Amino acid sequence: LVEEHGHRVVLQYRRIVQTERFENDFAYDGDDLGARCSQDRTEFALWAPTASRVQIDLQSGTQSRLIEMQRHSQGVWRAVAEGDWHGATYL
């Protein structure tokens, strides 16, 4: 961070996740996190409120796909992969 007089300081936001405001803004009690497979699509949901970008790297046999996740409310990221990716590995 550079302030108005040119002084630089390293900004650390690690303690922000321990505040009441963070808890109020980003608490998520849904039951849909992870991967949910069906015959025609696989839906992914990840709670990562401090992330600025999330991608899924899917691997299954010779198939591979890189998918950009979209940020939704309360810091939950979501993506849909067409097809049934049951049993696939993902990062």
Side-chain angles (χ1 to χ4, degrees), residues 69-84:
M69 296 188 84
Q70 301 299 313
R71 186 183 180 100
H72 292 261
S73 65
Q74 295 163 302
V76 176
W77 293 77
R78 299 185 184 279
V80 175
E82 297 304 320
D84 183 359

Side-chain angles (χ1 to χ4, degrees), residues 19-55:
T19 64
E20 185 176 337
R21 180 174 178 185
F22 185 88
E23 182 69 25
N24 291 336
D25 290 348
F26 296 107
Y28 185 71
D29 61 359
D31 64 353
D32 62 341
L33 298 179
R36 295 181 180 253
C37 301
S38 67
Q39 289 182 338
D40 60 339
R41 61 193 276 158
T42 301
E43 297 176 2
F44 296 90
L46 169 75
W47 184 74
T50 60
S52 59
R53 182 178 181 197
V54 179
Q55 292 181 314

Side-chain angles (χ1 to χ4, degrees), residues 37-42 44 56-67 81-91:
C37 301
S38 67
Q39 289 182 338
D40 60 339
R41 61 193 276 158
T42 301
F44 296 90
I56 300 172
D57 184 4
L58 281 171
Q59 303 286 324
S60 181
T62 60
Q63 288 186 309
S64 176
R65 186 174 295 166
L66 189 62
I67 300 170
E82 297 304 320
D84 183 359
W85 287 84
H86 181 76
T89 60
Y90 61 94
L91 300 169

